[in-house]
Amino acid sequence: MKKDIPNISFEFFPPKTLEGLKNLEHTAKALAEYAPQFFSVTYGAGGLTREGTLNTVSMLQNNTEIPVTPHLACLGSTKDNLLEILTHYKNIGINRLVALRGDLPAEMPYAGDFKYAFELVQFIREKTGFHFEIEVAAYPEFHPEAQSAIDDVLNLKRKFDAGANRAITQYFYNPDAYFYFLDKCAKYGIAKPIIPGIMPITGFEKLVRFSKTCGAEIPQWLYKRLAVYANDESATLALGLEVVHELCSRLIKGGAPGLHFYTLNREHASLAILDKLGVLPNSELQNYSPALKSFDVLPHFR
Ligand code: FAD
């Protein structure tokens, strides 16, 4: 039986080497087969990955048909810096952005014209009108600096009120946290789509390190189960697939408007999840009726 699929998207970071960029080209081509809504490319606050992000955006535009959505982080940048990048993106046909505050490394003193992401959203709307669709970040399990749970909801509302179109969440492994967050958002009058960010699990230590840096939570039941297999890569991958597949199934069943995969520039873990969910690549869609292909919501679930 075929299910409706919410939109999917894939996130990459700008590789540091030419070889990394070549590898990413391969990854992106494999993922493009799944007709994602967009590929996004992260950006280091303070302009730390400026060239890398711009090069990765161009590489993806040149090698795939998938719309590219660059991230833009405002912390540590002046209005002039930001406007230059916005103008560049407009000129090369980009029409969607992820607008963020970003985090600066401790050794980099704060300097820049904006303190918060909602100011960047306001600025993009002021300078470029409605040219860009704007995604912003949301935190079902709280941003590390939030004063309270409601603070996060109010901050998201500020970003929507400033002109954002959609939000993508920090990754989480507890679907109830996401649905609870949606309920709270609805109570505060937020009616725009909030897309869950999905982090496939490929290594215990990597996940723990990464989660500490970005303030994402690994529930204790998951931490303990993964710790058992810390030195067994294939068991970790199998458990990770089981857990994240279950998470995605519950999110889809509960009506999540999309799934945004943090790929870490590798395709295998995301593809394994999609495969288990029954998502088909384009090359296997030949037998579907053309009428279904024109659906707004892509019908590529088995
Ligand atoms: P904001 O929305 O500005 O919020 C930051 C904090 O400030 C929150 O605690 C909020 O409650 C508080 N706050 C906001 N407004 C006010 C106010 N008026 N008064 C008091 N407090 C306020 N980081 C990168 O550097 N590059 C990336 O490419 C990147 N991509 C990301 C993609 C996604 C989908 C997500 C979820 C995160 C991403 N991040 C990225 C990480 C993000 O930049 C950090 O989590 C950062 O700490 C917060 O960014 P923000 O845009 O959510 O900030």
Side-chain angles (χ1 to χ4, degrees), residues 144-204:
E145 293 161 41
Q147 304 294 313
S148 68
I150 283 316
D151 213 41
D152 268 335
V153 174
L154 293 177
N155 182 43
L156 182 59
K157 183 159 172 24
R158 231 183 333 259
K159 295 192 271 193
F160 279 131
D161 289 346
N165 302 94
R166 270 173 299 275
I168 302 172
T169 75
Q170 182 58 276
Y171 65 89
F172 55 86
Y173 295 102
N174 174 7
D176 292 334
Y178 169 76
F179 291 118
Y180 181 78
F181 183 68
L182 290 194
D183 282 350
K184 283 278 169 255
C185 287
K187 284 203 175 99
Y188 281 81
I190 295 175
K192 302 229 171 113
I194 300 174
I195 291 122
I198 305 297
M199 177 68 88
I201 298 173
T202 55
F204 174 63

Side-chain angles (χ1 to χ4, degrees), residues 239-255:
L239 174 58
L241 177 58
E242 177 195 312
V243 168
V244 182
H245 165 256
E246 175 63 22
L247 170 69
C248 292
S249 300
R250 285 200 48 199
L251 292 170
I252 292 169
K253 215 167 152 194

Side-chain angles (χ1 to χ4, degrees), residues 11 41-45 71-73 98-103 115-118 136-139 143-147 151-152 155 158-159 168-171 214 260 262:
E11 180 172 313
V41 184
T42 62
Y43 181 88
H71 297 206
L72 184 58
V98 183
L100 302 141
R101 183 195 76 174
D103 292 310
K115 266 173 92 173
Y116 299 115
F118 82 92
V136 289
Y139 302 88
H143 184 264
E145 293 161 41
Q147 304 294 313
D151 213 41
D152 268 335
N155 182 43
R158 231 183 333 259
K159 295 192 271 193
I168 302 172
T169 75
Q170 182 58 276
Y171 65 89
C214 66
H260 178 79
Y262 296 108

